[in-house]
Amino acid sequence: MRRTPLELAAIATAAVPGLAPTAAAYSPDDDADFDSALLLDAEGKRWRVRSPRHPEASTRLETEFMVLRAFAPAIRAELPFHVPTIAGTVRQGALTTFVYAHLQGSVLSIEELSAGSSALAREVGTALAAIHDLPLPLVINADLPSYSANEFRQRKLNELDQAATTGKIPATLLRRWEHALEDVALWRFNPSVVHGDLHEDNLMVQDDTVTALTGWTDLRIGDPADDFAWLVASNEASFVEAVLSHYTQTRRDVPDAHLLRRAALLAEFALAQYLVKAMAAGHQSMTSEAEAMLQTLADDIDEQLRREEEAAHTAEQEAASQTVSASPSDIPAVSVAAIPLPDEPESSVETDVGGTSGYDDTSTAAISVVSVTPLRPAERS
């Protein structure tokens, strides 16, 4: 049963001795995993309560507690944003509720972020760069997950196999994702520290400034494209490009050229992960919703491919028409070489079947999110 903000306020008083809330309100969160509320005390201070709804969510909060402890004062001082501070905890059976000293700023929807100023895009890009430039030992010393580029790709292949066993993934998407995951060149990147659960509800914004980042439950070493998937799913290309530009300028390492392509794939694949999670939890409504979103994505991709084929066919017809209508004077002369006699050595002729030796399969080069329905916070985890 979901806890109300007033119930969470009562729990918070047990976690933080002396806390006397005077007001409580709902706080956006991963609703399938957490009950959250914002509290206001008599001194005007704000607090945030996150209470897990099941043991796995409680484990994620305990992991975040360990992560936040790893953010030493020196590391916090170098970040261009604030990270949460845990004020207290209280355990109820197998679940632990956490109370955080609230951070300044408010949460904006992805539409509000995308419609924001260039200064806000710069702030988001700078924040992403700061995360990915965090020292790797921060994750390693905390014994958190770490994946090489190949391990990350193999992990996604395994997840694709798991999703395929549901029998509910449209064939168009299975082929598209499998092709992209088998394109080894697409997955050549330098692993970095990634937030792992970044989306608009974990960004605190005030006056076009990213004031804080929250939700540090999935910190790991992996693919930096993970933290761009939510942006690509917004379908606001100009905003994504502006964020990427500032991100590239700020990062100490040069980002790989395929970052946004992988982010697009991960944004699409998140729908399959949502389906698997819904089925595992036995949520029929969530399962039906996931199926509908996957079918919509597949239909959009099929429609895009149809339009591209029609455009290519039209271009071929126009080229053929121009060739037929060309005057004889426009047709170049044909040079005919004599067939060598049997006693003459044949000239060496190199035949390249199917293209040059440098042929590159670019079938995934144009991969992009096609009208992906952005996942709500409850659907991302």
Side-chain angles (χ1 to χ4, degrees):
M1 180 180 294
R2 184 170 298 281
R3 295 182 177 91
T4 67
L6 288 179
E7 290 173 325
L8 292 174
I11 295 173
T13 59
V16 182
L19 176 60
T22 58
Y26 168 78
S27 173
D29 210 327
D30 299 340
D31 292 339
D33 297 329
F34 306 104
D35 295 322
S36 297
L38 294 179
L39 309 181
L40 182 69
D41 65 15
E43 297 178 358
K45 294 181 180 179
R46 295 176 180 266
W47 310 80
R48 188 186 187 202
V49 187
R50 298 187 83 192
S51 185
R53 306 197 69 198
H54 50 78
E56 189 273 336
S58 184
T59 300
R60 289 176 60 195
L61 288 183
E62 290 168 3
T63 299
E64 182 183 39
F65 179 59
M66 183 169 53
V67 169
L68 295 177
R69 287 175 58 187
F71 280 102
I75 294 177
R76 289 175 179 254
E78 292 182 0
L79 294 173
F81 51 80
H82 295 288
V83 295
T85 299
I86 295 177
T89 65
V90 59
R91 192 168 186 85
Q92 297 172 298
L95 308 180
T96 303
T97 295
F98 286 73
V99 180
Y100 305 80
H102 188 54
L103 300 166
Q104 286 188 335
S106 58
V107 173
L108 301 181
S109 68
I110 187 63
E111 292 78 16
E112 291 172 323
L113 285 171
S114 301
S117 66
S118 59
L120 182 55
R122 181 179 65 249
E123 284 282 310
V124 175
T126 300
L128 283 165
I131 296 171
H132 298 165
D133 280 336
L134 283 168
L136 299 183
L138 176 72
V139 173
I140 297 171
N141 294 341
D143 199 26
L144 296 171
S146 177
Y147 304 100
S148 66
N150 188 58
E151 288 171 341
F152 185 82
R153 184 178 74 93
Q154 187 59 53
R155 186 166 176 253
K156 292 302 173 185
L157 279 168
N158 295 340
E159 292 176 356
L160 178 59
D161 289 341
Q162 182 184 12
T165 61
T166 65
K168 298 180 180 295
I169 308 294
T172 296
L173 299 181
L174 287 176
R175 289 193 300 268
R176 176 180 174 87
W177 296 339
E178 183 177 17
H179 197 175
L181 286 167
E182 289 178 349
D183 184 357
V184 177
L186 184 64
W187 301 91
R188 290 177 183 149
F189 61 85
N190 292 326
S192 70
V193 175
V194 296
H195 182 281
D197 189 32
L198 195 60
H199 49 80
E200 62 274 20
D201 286 346
N202 284 334
L203 255 68
M204 306 293 292
V205 178
Q206 185 177 44
D207 298 330
D208 286 342
T209 299
V210 175
T211 56
L213 260 65
T214 61
W216 297 86
T217 58
D218 295 302
L219 191 73
R220 57 181 175 265
I221 294 174
D223 186 357
D226 252 351
D227 288 342
F228 277 85
W230 68 284
L231 283 173
V232 175
S234 73
N235 293 317
E236 290 292 340
S238 59
F239 179 68
V240 176
E241 290 170 1
V243 170
L244 179 63
S245 175
H246 293 298
Y247 170 83
T248 303
Q249 295 171 20
T250 308
R251 275 217 68 183
R252 288 195 285 266
D253 291 339
V254 177
D256 67 280
H258 303 307
L259 186 146
L260 284 188
R261 289 170 57 197
R262 292 196 310 278
L265 173 68
L266 294 171
E268 292 180 7
F269 192 60
L271 297 179
Q273 293 171 311
Y274 175 44
L275 172 68
V276 172
K277 178 181 178 181
M279 293 183 66
H283 290 300
Q284 186 56 49
S285 60
M286 290 173 59
T287 300
S288 299
E289 184 180 27
E291 288 185 76
M293 289 190 293
L294 285 164
Q295 190 57 57
T296 298
L297 175 61
D299 292 343
D300 288 343
I301 290 173
D302 287 338
E303 176 63 20
Q304 183 189 52
L305 292 175
R306 186 188 63 79
R307 289 197 300 265
E308 291 174 354
E309 289 174 357
E310 288 181 352
H313 182 64
T314 300
E316 289 177 0
Q317 287 183 324
E318 291 176 352
S321 176
Q322 292 175 0
T323 301
V324 170
S325 62
S327 63
S329 60
D330 295 330
I331 302 175
V334 178
S335 177
V336 180
I339 299 176
L341 298 175
D343 57 349
E344 293 179 352
E346 293 185 359
S347 61
S348 174
V349 180
E350 294 184 4
T351 303
D352 187 0
V353 180
T356 65
S357 60
Y359 174 72
D360 179 24
D361 179 7
T362 57
S363 57
T364 61
I367 187 169
S368 61
V369 175
V370 183
S371 301
V372 173
T373 303
L375 290 177
R376 298 190 301 273
E379 302 162 354
R380 293 190 180 98
S381 303

